[in-house]
Amino acid sequence: MDKVDLRKLASELNLSVATVSKALRDSYEIKEETKQRVRLLADKLNYQPNLFASNLRQGKSRTIAVVIPEIASNFFALVTDGIQAVAEKKRYHVLTYATRGNYENEMSTIKHLENGRVDGLLISLSCETQGHQHLNRLKEAGIEIVFFDRVSQLSDCPTVTTDDYTSAYKATEHLIQNKCKRIAFLSLPDHISINQNRKQGYIDALKSKNKVVDNRLIIPCVNEPEKDYLIVRDVLSRKNPPDGIFAVVEKLAIATYNACNDLKIKIPRQLKIITFSNLPTASLVNPSMSTITQPAFEMGMEACALLFRRIEKKYLSNKTEHIVLKSNLIARKSTAK
Amino acid sequence: MDKVDLRKLASELNLSVATVSKALRDSYEIKEETKQRVRLLADKLNYQPNLFASNLRQGKSRTIAVVIPEIASNFFALVTDGIQAVAEKKRYHVLTYATRGNYENEMSTIKHLENGRVDGLLISLSCETQGHQHLNRLKEAGIEIVFFDRVSQLSDCPTVTTDDYTSAYKATEHLIQNKCKRIAFLSLPDHISINQNRKQGYIDALKSKNKVVDNRLIIPCVNEPEKDYLIVRDVLSRKNPPDGIFAVVEKLAIATYNACNDLKIKIPRQLKIITFSNLPTASLVNPSMSTITQPAFEMGMEACALLFRRIEKKYLSNKTEHIVLKSNLIARKSTAK
DNA sequence: CTGAAAGCGCTTACAG
DNA sequence: CTGAAAGCGCTTACAG
């Protein structure tokens, strides 16, 4: 079975390649009867246009890239799912890249996107990301960028985030109300905006209750499972250990649960825990875990829809959209009095 | 800043486009000095070759597609992670498509891949998949296919799976040893090979212990969270309910936990549960969950490596590789006597 | 060692 | 309404 291309269709139909191409693109220039003949044969021979040829010619790709720190996380998996759902409807293809929280990876990935391979980029920054030259160059190359969750404050790109400051404030308040005196904030590396917002919410909530903000209770983790576990266990083994943990991501909460099991610390009696999380088993763990749950799937959909708005009508892009979605605080047993 | 293409480099360097292209591809035809001049300028101007042009010309894409039923599942997220890790090293791009367990989706996705957009496909079949014409056509188009986990018995493509029959046999045996008399097998829709292997393992284990296989204890779920929950709750509310549940995927186990909570059924006293699962919180749920854990990340790596072996040396492809990885049975409290 | 030329398979402005 | 021709940006067989 030879390859079916426009030339083949054209010769079988005694038409020119130009006419066949236009017919398949439903051009007003072509009469209905011809269009039908063309479509019929194209279907019969299962013609599939060569995307590289048409992308090259048209200068667009109907493809977007998604760059995330990791795939195997409930949050990012749900976001990606939401992105796919929207992209699929638009008949766009989705290239996914995991940076593993590594800045070098992120830079080289983005550099490889500069050749027009994609029309747009949805990105959640890796933990280590600091500079923005690589993203600026991409923008200059005419590729639309939308940040989600872990956004950059330095660029004027559109963003989709959740109300991290407010959620963190409420979560801290919740711990205080349930009698926590020494609340440890388990954080990711510091230059992530999301982390800064959450930390600020935590700090402001403490201040508003006239609690002293103790720097030793802001625990920077490193985003490596084993090391994070050791850091957490270390904190819980201190002479004057915390009686409340506010974890900025779910894997730190899991590390805390594991450390408590190993150290025989009772949750919530000796230690209360709340965390940002999209774990489907939050209500099933022992004890059930209080969470702030982000609308991850929705975030993916919103971010992708926003990206398409930008791709499809660039001329309107003088204003920069910032969408903020609400997270949900669900109190369970891990923070019970 | 205009676009930097070969022509631009060539004119700045007083060379021909052909020479520049060859220099960048490190051709033996070009002298070292010229190569260096070219590379220097290319770096300086941040030249990125247009992939559509070069793919069109060369007839390959350095891109693979991953088609999975869903992204937001620990298992598939881990597999995808493993795939990415290998693809990244080979400097390949990865297009991801989620079929949502829908056959139509799977067909149309695969049809769109027939145009040479990718060099290879890694696929785990959707629950509903039955026919194989769409995959056969893709093969005829010269695109290499590797199946993983949910494989097809009908094609002669290479596969990467786990030892599902054996694992299921052992899991059933484990339940019997812990005194279960009526073990319900919660299954996915039936035409998935993985499901058939797991079911056969279950049946054979029962037979080997001289237990009757009661068809009513093979419970087909439908792969929709709410409906599955209702099916499970219904089973547990029967007059003569099961005292053991063997779930073929983790979401059915989660449904079971939820149903037990609602119906006040005590695990493991009244009901024991074991499931195939990659949940990071299996040891933290209440009670901790006995699992058969598949090496998901490794499966992704193996499948991707196998695909590259096929892509890179098709001439050797007269034998079909089938890789089987070992799963791990981890007994926890949910199956304790 | 370098370059002119053809061609990958499309799309589209233009002519008829 | 149809078609001839140019061109998207590369790569490569061939000539010199």
Side-chain angles (χ1 to χ4, degrees):
Chain A
M1 194 172 87
D2 349 286
K3 226 168 5 185
V4 182
D5 56 16
L6 284 185
R7 216 172 50 199
K8 167 130 182 171
L9 294 182
S11 78
E12 299 238 340
L13 291 162
N14 276 323
L15 288 169
S16 73
V17 167
T19 303
V20 174
S21 171
K22 286 178 196 164
L24 288 171
R25 318 196 93 229
D26 203 22
S27 159
Y28 69 97
E29 289 180 286
I30 307 297
K31 74 173 171 201
E32 198 50 44
E33 190 210 321
T34 306
K35 286 185 188 172
Q36 298 203 349
R37 284 177 59 217
V38 172
R39 284 192 206 114
L40 214 65
L41 186 68
D43 277 356
K44 187 177 147 210
L45 299 185
N46 193 40
Y47 167 72
Q48 294 290 331
N50 181 310
L51 286 195
F52 296 123
S54 84
N55 290 346
L56 175 60
R57 182 53 227 263
Q58 298 188 97
K60 41 192 164 116
S61 64
R62 286 193 94 76
T63 303
I64 59 173
V66 176
V67 175
I68 50 179
E70 50 181 341
I71 300 170
S73 127
N74 291 299
F75 175 73
F76 287 114
L78 284 167
V79 173
T80 307
D81 231 7
I83 291 170
Q84 295 267 358
V86 173
E88 191 180 277
K89 272 195 193 122
K90 290 268 181 186
R91 306 208 138 278
Y92 266 67
H93 299 262
V94 180
L95 284 165
T96 316
Y97 303 89
T99 59
R100 280 151 229 289
N102 180 296
Y103 185 51
E104 299 301 317
N105 263 347
E106 184 177 297
M107 287 218 296
S108 80
T109 299
I110 286 168
K111 193 169 172 200
H112 282 288
L113 296 176
E114 272 175 54
N115 50 27
R117 190 179 227 306
V118 297
D119 299 340
L121 167 65
L122 291 163
I123 182 168
S124 199
L125 293 174
S126 82
C127 286
E128 300 173 5
T129 299
Q130 307 187 53
H132 288 76
Q133 305 88 324
H134 54 312
L135 289 164
N136 288 335
R137 267 215 309 273
L138 200 64
K139 269 176 74 176
E140 279 166 23
I143 293 168
E144 295 289 341
I145 304 178
V146 171
F147 287 95
F148 64 90
D149 199 51
R150 302 188 182 176
V151 308
S152 159
Q153 310 99 315
L154 301 180
S155 81
D156 64 342
C157 289
T159 59
V160 181
T161 50
T162 50
D163 55 346
D164 289 305
Y165 173 87
T166 311
S167 309
Y169 191 102
K170 284 185 188 162
T172 309
E173 219 170 30
H174 174 70
L175 288 172
I176 294 171
Q177 278 161 4
N178 287 327
K179 308 294 181 213
C180 289
K181 304 287 181 207
R182 290 175 49 78
I183 299 169
F185 180 80
L186 294 183
S187 76
L188 290 176
D190 226 2
H191 38 272
I192 295 290
S193 67
I194 192 180
N195 195 39
Q196 288 170 10
N197 290 339
R198 290 175 183 182
K199 186 160 80 180
Q200 201 58 51
Y202 159 76
I203 290 173
D204 288 356
L206 288 184
K207 282 185 181 159
S208 80
K209 307 286 175 190
N210 293 319
K211 307 274 180 195
V212 180
V213 180
D214 182 342
N215 271 324
R216 285 167 304 168
L217 294 182
I218 297 179
I219 319 292
C221 295
V222 293
N223 218 14
E224 290 173 41
E226 289 89 31
K227 288 191 188 166
D228 287 344
Y229 169 78
L230 292 177
I231 291 170
V232 172
R233 208 183 56 181
D234 199 54
V235 168
L236 296 179
S237 311
R238 287 178 185 174
K239 274 189 193 161
N240 197 5
D243 58 1
I245 288 274
F246 178 17
V248 82
V249 291
E250 79 197 10
K251 47 187 165 184
L252 297 179
I254 294 177
T256 307
Y257 266 65
N258 283 324
C260 286
N261 277 346
D262 294 351
L263 298 171
K264 314 273 183 225
I265 295 172
K266 297 290 176 206
I267 308 169
R269 196 163 54 75
Q270 295 166 271
L271 181 72
K272 304 193 200 310
I273 304 179
I274 190 164
T275 182
F276 281 89
S277 170
N278 287 80
L279 269 181
T281 50
S283 65
L284 298 180
V285 297
N286 186 20
S288 62
M289 200 188 274
S290 297
T291 57
I292 302 133
T293 300
Q294 298 180 86
F297 186 83
E298 194 186 345
M299 179 180 275
M301 297 213 301
E302 289 287 348
C304 195
L306 175 48
L307 182 64
F308 284 132
R309 262 176 264 145
R310 303 277 298 194
I311 289 173
E312 284 167 7
K313 35 184 176 178
K314 297 199 174 184
Y315 46 91
L316 281 180
S317 64
N318 47 352
K319 67 166 198 276
T320 308
E321 282 186 77
H322 296 285
I323 298 177
V324 179
L325 304 174
K326 278 214 163 40
S327 298
N328 219 233
L329 194 157
I330 306 170
R332 297 199 184 87
K333 289 196 185 147
S334 71
T335 52
K337 262 181 223 172
Chain B
M1 194 171 88
D2 348 288
K3 228 169 1 181
V4 182
D5 56 16
L6 284 185
R7 217 172 51 198
K8 166 128 182 170
L9 294 182
S11 78
E12 299 238 340
L13 291 164
N14 278 322
L15 288 169
S16 74
V17 166
T19 303
V20 174
S21 171
K22 287 179 196 162
L24 288 172
R25 317 196 93 230
D26 202 22
S27 158
Y28 70 95
E29 289 180 286
I30 308 297
K31 74 173 169 199
E32 197 49 45
E33 191 210 321
T34 306
K35 286 185 187 170
Q36 298 203 350
R37 282 176 62 214
V38 171
R39 283 193 207 113
L40 214 66
L41 186 69
D43 277 357
K44 187 175 146 211
L45 300 185
N46 193 39
Y47 168 73
Q48 295 290 331
N50 182 311
L51 286 196
F52 297 124
S54 83
N55 290 346
L56 174 60
R57 184 52 229 265
Q58 297 187 97
K60 43 190 162 118
S61 63
R62 285 194 93 77
T63 303
I64 59 172
V66 177
V67 174
I68 50 180
E70 51 180 341
I71 300 170
S73 128
N74 290 300
F75 175 73
F76 287 113
L78 284 168
V79 173
T80 307
D81 230 7
I83 291 170
Q84 294 267 357
V86 172
E88 193 180 276
K89 275 200 191 117
K90 288 268 182 189
R91 305 209 138 278
Y92 265 67
H93 299 263
V94 181
L95 284 165
T96 316
Y97 303 88
T99 59
R100 282 152 228 292
N102 179 295
Y103 185 51
E104 299 301 317
N105 264 346
E106 184 177 297
M107 287 217 298
S108 80
T109 299
I110 286 167
K111 193 170 172 201
H112 282 288
L113 295 176
E114 272 175 55
N115 51 28
R117 190 181 228 305
V118 297
D119 299 340
L121 167 65
L122 291 163
I123 183 168
S124 199
L125 293 174
S126 82
C127 286
E128 300 174 6
T129 299
Q130 307 187 53
H132 287 78
Q133 308 87 325
H134 54 314
L135 289 165
N136 287 335
R137 269 215 308 273
L138 201 63
K139 270 175 74 176
E140 278 167 23
I143 292 167
E144 294 290 340
I145 304 177
V146 171
F147 287 96
F148 64 90
D149 199 50
R150 302 188 183 177
V151 308
S152 160
Q153 311 97 316
L154 301 179
S155 82
D156 63 343
C157 291
T159 60
V160 181
T161 50
T162 50
D163 54 346
D164 289 306
Y165 173 86
T166 310
S167 308
Y169 192 102
K170 286 185 188 163
T172 309
E173 218 172 29
H174 174 71
L175 288 172
I176 295 171
Q177 277 161 3
N178 287 326
K179 311 292 181 212
C180 288
K181 305 286 182 210
R182 290 174 49 78
I183 299 169
F185 179 80
L186 295 182
S187 76
L188 290 175
D190 225 2
H191 39 274
I192 295 292
S193 66
I194 192 179
N195 196 38
Q196 287 170 9
N197 290 338
R198 291 176 183 181
K199 187 160 79 179
Q200 201 57 52
Y202 159 77
I203 290 174
D204 287 357
L206 290 184
K207 283 186 181 160
S208 80
K209 307 287 176 188
N210 293 319
K211 309 272 179 194
V212 180
V213 180
D214 181 340
N215 270 324
R216 287 167 304 167
L217 295 183
I218 296 178
I219 318 293
C221 295
V222 293
N223 218 13
E224 290 173 40
E226 288 88 33
K227 289 192 189 166
D228 287 343
Y229 169 79
L230 292 176
I231 291 170
V232 172
R233 208 184 55 181
D234 200 54
V235 168
L236 297 179
S237 312
R238 287 178 183 174
K239 274 188 196 163
N240 197 5
D243 58 2
I245 289 274
F246 177 18
V248 82
V249 291
E250 79 196 10
K251 46 188 166 186
L252 297 179
I254 294 178
T256 307
Y257 266 65
N258 283 323
C260 286
N261 276 347
D262 294 351
L263 298 171
K264 313 271 180 231
I265 295 173
K266 297 291 174 206
I267 308 169
R269 197 163 52 76
Q270 295 167 273
L271 181 72
K272 304 193 200 309
I273 304 178
I274 190 164
T275 182
F276 280 88
S277 170
N278 288 79
L279 269 181
T281 50
S283 64
L284 299 180
V285 298
N286 185 20
S288 60
M289 200 187 273
S290 298
T291 58
I292 302 132
T293 300
Q294 299 180 85
F297 186 82
E298 193 186 345
M299 179 181 274
M301 297 214 300
E302 289 287 347
C304 195
L306 174 48
L307 182 64
F308 284 132
R309 259 175 267 147
R310 303 278 298 194
I311 289 175
E312 285 168 6
K313 34 185 176 178
K314 297 197 175 184
Y315 46 92
L316 282 180
S317 63
N318 47 352
K319 67 166 198 275
T320 307
E321 283 186 76
H322 296 286
I323 298 176
V324 179
L325 304 174
K326 278 215 164 42
S327 298
N328 218 233
L329 194 157
I330 306 170
R332 298 199 184 86
K333 290 195 184 148
S334 70
T335 51
K337 263 180 221 170

